[in-house]
Amino acid sequence: MKPNSILFGMTFAVAANLAVAAERAPVIEVTAGAPTKAAKLSLSEQLVSLERKLDARNRAQVNVQRQLDELQNEVNELRGITELHTYQLSQVLDRQRELYQELDRRVSEALKPENQIPATIIAPSGSNAGKVNYSNNLTENEAYDRAVNMVLKDKLYEQAIPEFEAFNQRYPNSTYAANAHYWLGQLLFNKGELTKAGQEFDVVVSNYPDSSKRSDAMLKLAMVEQKENNETKAIAVYKKLIAQYPNSSAAKLAQPRLNSIKP
């Protein structure tokens, strides 16, 4: 083989190898660069997603805080309304107590035993008249007020009897119980139902030792016994009244009645 031919062959082989290398180089670069670009896009997307999630979380927290603030404002408003209603109710109850005190005072002054006229209710007298405890129960107050007004204002004595009877049954432990039994006894006494009247007066005497009505109830109980010709019982009650309440108006009325009973 000629030297020129050998040299040509070697040159051709080298050129071929260089061509092959040149053709493969871009493929290697593209193949190596593709994963890097994909990784960059994936990380960017992850960051965007994370930012969106954080933004949504922040908005949710803001909404929750706004709702909590609104609830707190509503609670504060309700507390203020409750305090206002409590104050107004206290004012109403105080006013009712004043009205009942004035009502009791007027009844006591206008209808004292010494001023009794036919078909008039005898009210308790003396310095302790009107000193009663007043209830905080509005319904109880209204029921008692209605029964008393039938006597004091409307003069409906017959209709007042079932009103007081119903009151005593519905409110047996009422702060007005002694008063209610006394007024019922007075109504029955004036109607001539002495036995029932005596029972009501006896309830006051026996069950309410601290009531301001007790001395007057004792006087009326003795009068019932006297009218029913139970003079021994009448004398005993008159003497007990005078001994326990010597300075009361009831005792002053009891003494001449006691003296009128023949021994």
Side-chain angles (χ1 to χ4, degrees), residues 11-75:
T11 302
F12 180 78
V14 171
N17 290 335
L18 290 173
V20 171
E23 290 178 357
R24 292 179 178 176
V27 175
I28 294 172
E29 290 178 0
V30 171
T31 303
T36 303
K37 184 176 181 181
K40 288 182 179 179
L41 291 175
S42 176
L43 179 60
S44 176
E45 290 175 354
Q46 291 178 6
L47 290 174
V48 171
S49 176
L50 181 60
E51 289 177 355
R52 290 175 179 174
K53 291 179 180 180
L54 290 175
D55 185 57
R57 179 183 175 185
N58 291 336
R59 287 198 301 270
Q61 289 179 339
V62 170
N63 290 334
V64 170
Q65 185 61 48
R66 183 173 63 253
Q67 292 175 0
L68 289 175
D69 291 341
E70 292 175 355
L71 289 174
Q72 185 62 48
N73 291 335
E74 291 178 2
V75 169

Side-chain angles (χ1 to χ4, degrees), residues 177-202:
N179 294 36
H181 282 288
Y182 181 85
W183 289 117
L184 179 56
Q186 293 284 56
L187 290 163
L188 294 169
F189 182 87
N190 284 357
K191 190 178 178 182
E193 297 185 14
L194 298 179
T195 301
K196 290 183 178 180
Q199 292 172 352
E200 297 300 324
F201 293 130
D202 186 61

Side-chain angles (χ1 to χ4, degrees), residues 111 119-121 144-165 183-184 186-188 190-191:
L111 303 175
T120 300
I121 303 302
Y144 180 73
D145 187 37
R146 182 170 58 253
V148 172
N149 281 336
M150 281 188 173
V151 175
L152 185 64
K153 295 182 179 180
D154 303 325
K155 313 300 182 184
L156 300 175
Y157 304 125
E158 286 285 343
Q159 293 88 330
I161 290 176
E163 282 291 327
F164 278 111
E165 289 175 338
W183 289 117
L184 179 56
Q186 293 284 56
L187 290 163
L188 294 169
N190 284 357
K191 190 178 178 182

Side-chain angles (χ1 to χ4, degrees), residues 61-104:
Q61 289 179 339
V62 170
N63 290 334
V64 170
Q65 185 61 48
R66 183 173 63 253
Q67 292 175 0
L68 289 175
D69 291 341
E70 292 175 355
L71 289 174
Q72 185 62 48
N73 291 335
E74 291 178 2
V75 169
N76 291 337
E77 290 177 2
L78 290 174
R79 183 181 292 113
I81 293 173
T82 300
E83 292 175 353
L84 176 61
H85 287 174
T86 300
Y87 173 76
Q88 291 176 339
L89 178 59
S90 176
Q91 294 293 100
V92 169
L93 292 174
D94 289 342
R95 179 56 181 161
Q96 276 202 335
R97 292 189 186 97
E98 293 176 358
L99 291 175
Y100 283 124
Q101 288 171 350
E102 179 64 16
L103 177 62
D104 238 21

Side-chain angles (χ1 to χ4, degrees), residues 160-234:
I161 290 176
E163 282 291 327
F164 278 111
E165 289 175 338
F167 180 87
N168 290 334
Q169 290 178 359
R170 186 174 182 182
Y171 304 102
N173 300 317
S174 170
T175 55
Y176 307 120
N179 294 36
H181 282 288
Y182 181 85
W183 289 117
L184 179 56
Q186 293 284 56
L187 290 163
L188 294 169
F189 182 87
N190 284 357
K191 190 178 178 182
E193 297 185 14
L194 298 179
T195 301
K196 290 183 178 180
Q199 292 172 352
E200 297 300 324
F201 293 130
D202 186 61
V203 168
V204 180
V205 173
S206 301
N207 297 344
Y208 303 97
D210 298 326
S211 173
S212 62
K213 305 292 190 292
R214 188 169 184 268
S215 61
D216 295 283
M218 290 178 71
L219 172 64
K220 296 313 299 286
L221 179 59
M223 291 171 62
V224 168
E225 298 293 352
Q226 188 176 2
K227 285 180 175 292
E228 292 188 327
N229 297 319
N230 298 323
E231 294 184 347
T232 301
K233 291 184 179 180

Side-chain angles (χ1 to χ4, degrees), residues 128 205-206 208-210 214-215 218 236-248 251:
N128 290 328
V205 173
S206 301
Y208 303 97
D210 298 326
R214 188 169 184 268
S215 61
M218 290 178 71
V237 178
Y238 280 135
K239 288 183 177 180
K240 185 177 180 180
L241 167 60
I242 294 170
Q244 293 185 1
Y245 303 95
N247 298 320
S248 67

